[in-house]
Amino acid sequence: MPFFASLQHRLRVPFLSAFLIACLFLISLVALAQVTLKYRMLNGYFLSNDAPVNKGKPTLFVFEQAETFEKVFKPATTMSKRPDVPNFNKEMVVGIALPATNKPPKLSISRVFVQDSVMTIRYIRMADTTLNKTPLSFTTQPMLLVALPIQSVLSTRLVENGKVVLTLKKQDD
């Protein structure tokens, strides 16, 4: 009996070691599959009046060509600075438009990454507490414009404050 107990113990240790190594390998593969993207914010644009927006929900735009970008976003002529121009030879542009409001929130991008051919854009939306007491006398269209390196993705996911609010599948040309 002691021989079998010793044999069982000798077989268990290598099996557990191999199992732990395999688990660590799979975890490292998952971690490596997520690629964080560098991005830059584009300023000096407004949303065109005839842009196709979702009523009452966020709208996600993904642009790979200047012509389609210029149909939806127009340079703001009232600003003293020139708008930031994307380089469509190296970059693509993602636009996020929120419903028009007289209490615009504070928006910021927290992370942009690609995993399994899905680009995820995470942003934070915070209520501007100063505008809750005295709203603006006009409505404004809160939006974010982001330029990032060209990516081959099948879909783009929009995450607001940790919750998926929209997924846009890539349309074939």
Side-chain angles (χ1 to χ4, degrees), residues 16-162:
L16 286 175
S17 297
F19 178 75
L20 288 174
I21 291 171
C23 287
L24 290 173
F25 177 74
L26 289 175
I27 290 170
S28 67
L29 279 179
V30 170
L32 291 175
Q34 191 177 88
V35 178
T36 301
L37 302 176
K38 292 188 184 282
Y39 62 89
R40 66 184 179 102
M41 299 300 296
L42 298 178
N43 297 304
Y45 292 94
F46 69 92
L47 193 61
S48 173
N49 290 336
D50 55 339
V53 294
N54 299 329
K55 296 287 183 193
K57 298 187 304 187
T59 304
L60 178 64
F61 300 98
V62 179
F63 302 103
E64 295 177 346
Q65 299 174 350
E67 296 79 34
T68 53
F69 173 74
E70 292 165 357
K71 289 178 185 175
V72 177
F73 290 95
K74 305 290 182 190
T77 56
T78 58
M79 296 184 67
S80 60
K81 289 180 19 177
R82 293 174 47 189
D84 301 326
V85 180
N87 179 357
F88 282 98
N89 292 327
K90 298 178 182 178
E91 297 175 313
M92 61 190 293
V93 175
V94 174
I96 302 166
L98 301 181
T101 180
N102 62 350
K103 298 178 186 176
K106 294 179 180 179
L107 301 172
S108 65
I109 300 286
S110 61
R111 189 162 178 231
V112 179
F113 62 93
V114 174
Q115 183 175 10
D116 297 331
S117 297
V118 176
M119 181 168 49
T120 302
I121 295 135
R122 298 178 65 96
Y123 72 98
I124 299 169
R125 176 183 184 163
M126 295 185 318
D128 189 345
T129 55
T130 60
L131 293 176
N132 286 340
K133 296 175 185 168
T134 56
L136 300 173
S137 59
F138 56 90
T139 59
T140 182
Q141 187 88 44
M143 62 176 213
L144 291 167
L145 271 177
V146 180
L148 45 102
I150 294 175
Q151 300 296 309
S152 294
V153 295
L154 299 175
S155 64
T156 304
R157 182 181 304 140
L158 187 60
V159 179
E160 177 184 297
N161 296 346

